[in-house]
Amino acid sequence: MVELSAGSAVRLLGDTTLDVHICMPGGVGYLTLCFSAPLTGMSRPMEQLCDAIAGSLRWVL
């Protein structure tokens, strides 16, 4: 579990993937962001880039 500006999220890091499941406003479901890096794996710079993208999500109500 991580706290993003968009709210609570579940962050799952695999060998070649990073999935972020973010709870939508009103509890109507989850937005899933899926990042993958086939062949090279999730090296630290790529992982940081994907985290930055997920962290930039904002809800506009």
Side-chain angles (χ1 to χ4, degrees), residues 1 3 6-7 10-11 14-16 19 21 23 25 34-36 38 40 46-48 55 57 60:
M1 293 292 294
E3 193 63 35
V10 175
R11 182 182 182 276
D15 290 337
T16 60
D19 297 335
H21 306 278
C23 187
C34 300
F35 304 97
S36 65
T40 60
M46 182 62 111
E47 181 182 342
Q48 290 173 331
L57 178 67
V60 178

Side-chain angles (χ1 to χ4, degrees), residues 8-22:
S8 297
V10 175
R11 182 182 182 276
L12 302 169
L13 180 63
D15 290 337
T16 60
T17 61
L18 173 63
D19 297 335
V20 182
H21 306 278
I22 306 165

